[in-house]
Amino acid sequence: MAHLQLTAVAGGRDDEMEEVALLGSYDEPEGLSSRTGQEEEEEEDAGMRRAQVRVTGMTCSACTGAVEAALSARRGVRSAAVSLLQNRAHVVFDPALAKEEDIVEAIEDAGFEAEILPDSAVSQPKSQKALSGQFRIGGMTCAACVNSVEGILKKLPGVNRAVVALATSLGEVEYDPAAISKDEIVQAIEDAGFEAALLQSSEQDKALLGLIGLHTERDVNLLYDILRKTEGLCQFDVNSVRAEVEITFDPEVVGLRSIVDIIEIESSGRLKAHVQNPYVRSSSNDAQEASKMLHLLRSSLFLSIPVFFMRMVCPHISFINSFLLMHCGPFRIGDLLKWMLVSVVQFVVGKRFYVAAYRALRHGSTNMDVLVVLGTTATYVYSVCALLYGAFTGFHPPMYFETSAMIITFVLLGKYLEVLAKGRTSDAIKKLVELVPATAILLLKYKDGKYAGEKEIDALLIQPGDVLKVLPGSKIPADGIVTWGTSHVDESMVTGESASISKEVSSSVIGGTMNLNGTLHIQAAKVGSGTVLSQIISLVETAQMSKAPIQKFADYVAGIFVPIVITLSLLTFCTWFVCGTLGAYPNSWVSETSNCFVFSLMFSISVVVIACPCALGLATPTAVMVATGVGANHGVLVKGGDALERAQNVKYIIFDKTGTLTQGKATVTTTKVFSGMDVGDFLTLVASAEASSEHPLAKAILDYAFHFHFFGKLPSSKDDVKKRKEDAFSQWLLEVADFSALPGKGVQCLINGKMILVGNRALISENGVNIPEEAESFLVDMELNAKTGILVAYDGDFIGLMGVTDPLKREAAVVIQGLKKMGIYPVMVTGDNWRTALAVAKEIGIEDVRAEVMPAGKADVIRSLQKDGSVVAMVGDGINDSPALAAADVGMAIGAGTDIAIEAADYVLVRNNLEDVITAIDLSRKTFSRIRWNYFFAMAYNIVAIPVAAGALFPLIGLQMPPWLAGACMAFSSVSVVCSSLLLRRYRKPRLTTVLQITVE
């Protein structure tokens, strides 16, 4: 890994730095496909197993060597071959000595990410990998519900992991499809008292199609006939009510686009299929839930307002009051009307509360629904008893039918507002999803490659290799490469870069970005979940699904909250009733139409109804959800609530120098020869030695030498320049033998049978080469001017040196000062020499410098700073710094661009701008400040409201809170917490002038 210190600077930022040597053969990489069938049979007979492993994070041939070495050193591994281009490793191992998990562990220990591909087994039955399914879970109201669902899911056989998010009503379950099916998971959630449906799965050979024209049974039968005849279609499940069909197909036999075309063609256009976007479907479900809640609220209001009117207004209107007091048998008309109306509210509109409460209690948990049911049922049952008592005795005690109805109405109002507010917390994902165009123009071509025409297709049906036409003013439908045309593209919606980017042939484009002018033909390279936009959406979703450690407190409180409230309610009733029975308070406190029992019961019901566990459960997830969305809008991708929580306490922030503090565009500024050799011959020698290196400094030296020899002789076309370079390399570079890259030092090889050394002072000294005083003086002078010296020795003699500089980013110095103002200590860690490192640090204002540190040693620097418990952040390029990023408490990968999928950091700063480091930390601090306020409000509400509802102030000021008012307070408490979190949507990036407290005239 030491050799990777600077490699990633080029990755994704300079297309010209991709050399042919980096790419193996795509179809038959060496060591992967050259094996004979006989060798395979011998391996199987010997009990060997083969595994195909996807390896991410490799950027050059040194990486593949590191992976191969790590695998070969693992006990039980017989052979290992790694392909850089395919990002795959082919491993042959003895299952008696090693497992697939051991292979993954070996690769990860080498600093890369690994995943066993599901089709890797050969000598044993094909094993299915664990699937990750996203389920929509309805009916959750508080953290206790979340705990209950998670607990049930984790107990299911075959479920490896389960995470449930209250704010999004989503659950992510990792499960083994061989042990449990998604239908069984749905059934388990429904048995727990909640609604459940699968939104999407990581299973690649399944799709959900929506159908237009599926109206009658005849249409359904026609669809069945078409699907049965389709080759490669394994199974299908038609839902005629929702006009959907879930299909399982073999992508090697038939493509999804072919299935859609077959349905339309075979039905003669009667049926048209389209792929269902899971995000759109999720939004539709959110809208349905809000609509359902609004319908219940309207019904409850329609029935409750007359009851409230009869209680509060009608007694003051004499003729209406006279009518209501008339008797219908033993009952008064007014009492009968209230009873009938409230019964509908209690048991029809309020059925959802009873069902949810029953299911919760059946599984040994409690939630807000239990409190609502207890409070409203106690009020309703008492009122019915009072009604019957009055009808048969003639003495009419007070009835509180309106209290039960109003409690349910206010709770439904609160739930409706909460659904609307929670929907707004996921606006960031919705905006990202909307960036993808609904359709794309596919260019059709004949077998000979000539274009035959155009066809508009669903953007979800784009396949890798498709050539698409993008008109001016339209969005690019997929990640790909420009094959024809020139234009400018606005990528600000994805990367945050405000300036438009020029695109020409061979330029890469990002799906979802806007083509401003000029028509482009692009060849789709990544589609579906592989696109940059999908990866960003996935990162944001993952972050929103995660739980911040601070939420553990809310989960604990939620588990004991309801039993405590019920206990307090019983204690309240007993206290007031006993005191009243013993005459501890005057009879005047109890109204003439009431009694001690009713007086105490109303206090008890108010305690049950006013308590709100939902506010505690929503305090963290809603804030995290809004913050991750806001961060994505600013080009700061957060990978979880735990990362947000750690970042707020960062004390030290470590910067890698090259490509992080500097622009990552090394250039040769000085060449000095200290022998009689001609400068041109010197550059040819050095360039020949560096031609086999993947290091960015090697690329800078090659470019400098090339332009020295061919300046003014190059054509104007960029493609012609590349071709001319390749041709020229074979003509002027010398033949190299025994090439060796020495991590952190340089390179050595043989040219014309003589050893040449190109690298730093350590490499030259180790090989016993004497550096002349003149050269040493010249070298020191360069290093003091923040230039890196490249020393060259040939055949045991020092022959010259080169000065290489990498310009600092223009915002570097200001950002460093800003971090100091925020109370954070910046540290620079670099593999460069001390003089250069100190010169760079002085220029940008960093006092703490660690120079001549090998890439593997950066993690040791981080651990040394963590010893006193300090939180340490690391800012690097996210690829070659992955060990340091993993060791840091907070890893920030800056300038990741299109490399988001391979990042190991906690934060991905999409733009290559250091200002986003301040944005990330500031957003974290603002988010957890808001979370603390949410917790304070939620806790303060319950601490203050419950005693007030229990009548603590009644003896002093006569304040008694009616149960219906307590219900209103409870309903709006959770809404207020969500609205508090929504204030984070107003977050604005801190201006550096504000951070530095500079007044600009």
Side-chain angles (χ1 to χ4, degrees):
M1 292 298 292
H3 180 55
L4 301 182
Q5 182 185 359
L6 299 175
T7 303
V9 174
R13 287 198 282 270
D14 188 349
D15 294 335
E16 292 185 1
M17 294 199 65
E18 241 185 17
E19 302 294 342
V20 179
L22 280 173
L23 309 178
S25 169
Y26 183 82
D27 297 320
E28 293 188 8
E30 184 178 353
L32 291 185
S33 304
S34 59
R35 295 145 24 86
T36 66
Q38 183 179 358
E39 288 175 331
E40 292 182 1
E41 290 175 0
E42 288 175 358
E43 286 172 5
E44 291 180 25
D45 292 340
M48 292 292 175
R49 291 175 61 177
R50 291 185 292 152
Q52 292 278 357
V53 189
R54 179 183 289 114
V55 184
T56 54
M58 299 188 298
T59 58
C60 66
S61 55
C63 299
T64 60
V67 174
E68 286 181 352
L71 288 171
S72 300
R74 183 67 61 158
R75 183 171 178 265
V77 174
R78 177 174 173 179
S79 65
V82 182
S83 170
L84 175 66
L85 181 63
Q86 293 180 313
N87 286 324
R88 284 193 183 186
H90 179 93
V91 186
V92 179
F93 64 99
D94 184 351
L97 300 175
K99 298 179 180 178
E100 291 181 344
E101 292 78 8
D102 297 330
I103 295 170
V104 171
E105 183 181 353
I107 296 173
E108 291 178 344
D109 287 345
F112 304 93
E113 297 178 6
E115 176 192 359
I116 298 290
L117 297 177
D119 57 348
S120 61
V122 174
S123 59
Q124 72 280 352
K126 181 179 178 181
S127 61
Q128 289 183 291
K129 68 175 181 179
L131 297 180
S132 179
Q134 192 176 76
F135 296 82
R136 177 177 180 80
I137 303 172
M140 296 189 298
T141 57
C142 61
C145 301
V146 173
N147 294 340
S148 176
V149 175
E150 282 187 350
I152 290 166
L153 289 174
K154 289 176 180 177
K155 292 177 183 177
L156 293 175
V159 172
N160 303 327
R161 184 178 64 89
V163 180
V164 179
L166 176 63
T168 57
S169 296
L170 294 177
E172 191 171 283
V173 183
E174 185 178 296
Y175 63 99
D176 182 0
I180 189 170
S181 68
K182 56 138 178 120
D183 295 325
E184 291 172 325
I185 295 174
V186 169
Q187 186 63 46
I189 297 172
E190 289 177 344
D191 288 345
F194 304 90
E195 300 172 357
L198 178 69
L199 284 181
Q200 61 180 349
S201 169
S202 61
E203 199 165 8
Q204 296 300 310
D205 57 354
K206 276 191 177 182
L208 184 67
L209 302 179
L211 293 160
I212 299 175
L214 195 68
H215 304 302
T216 64
E217 187 175 346
R218 182 183 174 187
D219 298 328
V220 175
N221 293 332
L222 174 62
L223 178 63
Y224 270 100
D225 292 337
I226 295 171
L227 295 177
R228 286 195 191 101
K229 296 175 184 177
T230 304
E231 292 185 6
L233 202 59
C234 306
Q235 65 181 66
F236 57 88
D237 182 17
V238 179
N239 187 331
S240 57
V241 177
R242 297 179 64 97
E244 294 175 347
V245 56
E246 183 179 351
I247 59 174
T248 303
F249 63 97
D250 185 349
E252 299 296 324
V253 178
V254 63
L256 190 56
R257 189 162 73 217
S258 300
I259 296 173
V260 171
D261 291 340
I262 289 170
I263 292 174
E264 184 173 354
I265 293 170
E266 293 296 323
S267 66
S268 302
R270 285 175 54 188
L271 300 176
K272 291 186 178 182
H274 59 275
V275 181
Q276 290 278 44
N277 190 322
Y279 300 106
V280 174
R281 190 182 181 194
S282 177
S283 299
S284 174
N285 287 333
D286 289 340
Q288 288 179 7
E289 184 180 355
S291 175
K292 182 179 178 181
M293 199 63 68
L294 179 61
H295 174 72
L296 289 174
L297 175 61
R298 285 174 174 170
S299 302
S300 185
L301 276 172
F302 178 76
L303 296 168
S304 299
I305 289 176
V307 176
F308 188 78
F309 186 80
M310 282 187 283
R311 173 63 185 264
M312 306 302 294
V313 180
C314 291
H316 304 287
I317 304 175
S318 57
F319 71 94
I320 297 179
N321 188 44
S322 300
F323 172 75
L324 295 176
L325 291 175
M326 293 175 61
H327 280 72
C328 179
F331 303 103
R332 292 185 296 199
I333 292 177
D335 294 340
L336 280 178
L337 288 174
K338 290 179 188 177
W339 188 12
M340 288 187 292
L341 291 173
V342 171
S343 295
V344 177
V345 175
Q346 185 74 31
F347 300 110
V348 179
V349 177
K351 177 184 175 182
R352 65 182 302 276
F353 297 112
Y354 280 94
V355 173
Y358 167 72
R359 290 172 173 172
L361 292 172
R362 191 179 66 180
H363 286 85
S365 62
T366 53
N367 55 21
M368 188 207 72
D369 296 307
V370 174
L371 296 179
V372 172
V373 166
L374 279 176
T376 56
T377 303
T379 308
Y380 178 83
V381 169
Y382 163 77
S383 299
V384 171
C385 292
L387 173 67
L388 297 175
Y389 181 83
F392 294 105
T393 64
F395 174 76
H396 296 277
M399 289 173 287
Y400 296 94
F401 281 120
E402 73 286 346
T403 296
S404 170
M406 295 305 290
I407 287 173
I408 290 176
T409 301
F410 278 121
V411 171
L412 288 174
L413 174 61
K415 285 294 168 191
Y416 174 66
L417 295 176
E418 187 180 312
V419 167
L420 294 181
K422 285 198 293 186
R424 296 184 66 186
T425 62
S426 59
D427 280 352
I429 286 183
K430 293 175 184 175
K431 289 178 181 178
L432 290 171
V433 172
E434 289 169 359
L435 291 178
V436 183
T439 60
I441 300 175
L442 175 68
L443 294 179
L444 306 174
K445 54 185 178 182
Y446 295 111
K447 292 182 179 179
D448 59 2
K450 293 183 179 180
Y451 291 112
E454 300 176 356
K455 179 184 178 182
E456 188 174 44
I457 63 170
D458 190 327
L460 295 173
L461 296 176
I462 298 173
Q463 298 172 357
D466 285 346
V467 178
L468 308 168
K469 182 178 181 180
V470 185
L471 299 173
S474 62
K475 293 177 180 177
I476 296 172
D479 293 2
I481 305 295
V482 177
T483 59
W484 179 88
T486 59
S487 183
H488 281 77
V489 174
D490 179 8
E491 297 182 348
S492 60
M493 60 282 294
V494 175
T495 65
E497 294 287 357
S498 56
S500 59
I501 311 297
S502 175
K503 300 293 181 182
E504 56 186 21
V505 174
S506 299
S507 297
S508 60
V509 291
I510 302 174
T513 56
M514 180 68 72
N515 180 27
L516 298 179
N517 49 37
T519 301
L520 294 175
H521 290 181
I522 68 165
Q523 185 174 35
K526 295 179 180 179
V527 298
S529 60
T531 64
V532 171
L533 192 59
S534 294
Q535 291 168 24
I536 291 175
I537 293 172
S538 177
L539 279 177
V540 175
E541 274 193 324
T542 302
Q544 293 179 348
M545 288 289 295
S546 67
K547 289 184 178 182
I550 195 175
Q551 195 174 338
K552 293 179 181 177
F553 168 73
D555 293 342
Y556 170 74
V557 173
I560 61 174
F561 187 86
V562 174
I564 289 176
V565 169
I566 295 173
T567 302
L568 290 174
S569 174
L570 292 173
L571 186 62
T572 299
F573 174 81
C574 294
T575 302
W576 282 105
F577 185 74
V578 170
C579 290
T581 304
L582 298 176
Y585 53 81
N587 293 331
S588 59
W589 286 9
V590 183
S591 64
E592 295 180 0
T593 58
S594 184
N595 55 52
C596 180
F597 176 83
V598 176
F599 182 68
S600 305
L601 182 64
M602 290 301 105
F603 281 121
S604 177
I605 292 173
S606 293
V607 169
V608 170
V609 173
I610 204 169
C612 184
C614 297
L616 278 171
L618 291 169
T620 298
T622 52
V624 169
M625 192 170 189
V626 176
T628 50
V630 168
N633 291 337
H634 288 91
V636 177
L637 304 181
V638 191
K639 290 192 175 180
D642 53 343
L644 266 174
E645 184 166 348
R646 290 195 301 270
Q648 63 167 331
N649 298 317
V650 167
K651 182 178 180 181
Y652 295 99
I653 186 160
I654 295 177
F655 290 93
D656 177 41
K657 180 175 76 72
T658 307
T660 302
L661 293 172
T662 66
Q663 296 177 15
K665 298 177 181 178
T667 55
V668 178
T669 59
T670 308
T671 300
K672 184 77 170 177
V673 180
F674 291 91
S675 66
M677 187 179 294
D678 180 72
V679 174
D681 294 338
F682 172 77
L683 291 176
T684 301
L685 263 179
V686 179
S688 300
E690 292 285 6
S692 299
S693 173
E694 312 294 348
H695 203 289
L697 292 184
K699 196 259 182 191
I701 292 171
L702 275 169
D703 283 347
Y704 182 81
F706 182 84
H707 284 281
F708 179 87
H709 286 290
F710 297 95
F711 182 73
K713 302 176 184 178
L714 297 175
S716 56
S717 169
K718 185 177 179 181
D719 290 335
D720 289 341
V721 169
K722 286 185 177 180
K723 187 175 185 304
R724 183 67 178 272
K725 264 190 176 183
E726 293 170 5
D727 294 339
F729 278 161
S730 63
Q731 298 173 9
W732 68 282
L733 291 180
L734 303 174
E735 186 176 347
V736 173
D738 296 335
F739 174 84
S740 177
L742 306 172
K745 296 178 182 179
V747 300
Q748 66 180 29
C749 60
L750 293 176
I751 296 180
N752 298 327
K754 298 177 182 179
M755 176 67 71
I756 182 170
L757 306 171
V758 183
N760 57 21
R761 186 186 280 101
L763 177 65
I764 302 299
S765 300
E766 285 176 5
N767 285 272
V769 178
N770 183 44
I771 303 174
E773 290 185 8
E774 182 185 358
E776 182 68 35
S777 177
F778 190 83
L779 178 62
V780 170
D781 185 57
M782 281 198 312
E783 291 173 346
L784 291 174
N785 285 284
K787 296 178 182 178
T788 301
I790 305 295
L791 288 72
V792 183
Y794 184 56
D795 196 21
D797 296 324
F798 184 84
I799 62 172
L801 57 78
M802 307 176 76
V804 181
T805 185
D806 189 359
L808 287 166
K809 292 178 179 175
R810 56 186 178 84
E811 74 276 8
V814 184
V815 168
I816 295 300
Q817 294 304 312
L819 289 170
K820 290 179 179 179
K821 291 284 186 180
M822 297 171 70
I824 299 171
Y825 301 99
V827 181
M828 187 177 79
V829 179
T830 177
D832 215 334
N833 64 83
W834 274 99
R835 291 191 186 92
T836 303
L838 290 171
V840 171
K842 183 178 180 181
E843 189 172 347
I844 59 178
I846 293 181
E847 289 84 17
D848 193 345
V849 181
R850 314 293 172 92
E852 299 179 8
V853 178
M854 297 294 181
K858 294 177 182 178
D860 295 330
V861 173
I862 291 171
R863 282 188 280 268
S864 69
L865 294 173
Q866 292 172 329
K867 285 182 179 178
D868 62 352
S870 299
V871 177
V872 180
M874 168 72 189
V875 183
D877 53 39
I879 302 171
N880 61 313
D881 290 319
S882 57
L885 289 170
D889 298 297
V890 180
M892 296 185 184
I894 188 169
T898 58
D899 295 322
I900 294 165
I902 60 175
E903 298 300 343
D906 302 299
Y907 283 79
V908 177
L909 312 182
V910 179
R911 300 188 307 160
N912 193 15
N913 193 316
L914 288 171
E915 293 179 25
D916 290 341
V917 175
I918 289 181
T919 301
I921 296 173
D922 183 68
L923 177 62
S924 171
R925 292 180 176 181
K926 293 284 192 347
T927 301
F928 272 82
S929 174
R930 179 59 55 187
I931 288 174
R932 290 187 189 95
W933 272 109
N934 287 351
Y935 275 130
F936 172 78
F937 179 81
M939 293 296 293
Y941 164 79
N942 284 294
I943 290 171
V944 172
I946 291 177
V948 171
L953 298 179
F954 187 80
L956 301 176
I957 58 175
L959 177 61
Q960 182 179 13
M961 184 176 290
W964 64 266
L965 181 58
C969 292
M970 183 269 288
F972 285 101
S973 65
S974 56
V975 175
S976 62
V977 167
V978 177
C979 292
S980 171
S981 295
L982 284 173
L983 291 176
L984 284 170
R985 297 178 66 195
R986 301 169 59 186
Y987 175 82
R988 296 292 179 266
K989 293 175 63 174
R991 298 176 60 185
L992 288 176
T993 51
T994 304
V995 175
L996 297 175
Q997 299 174 351
I998 298 173
T999 303
V1000 180
E1001 297 295 337

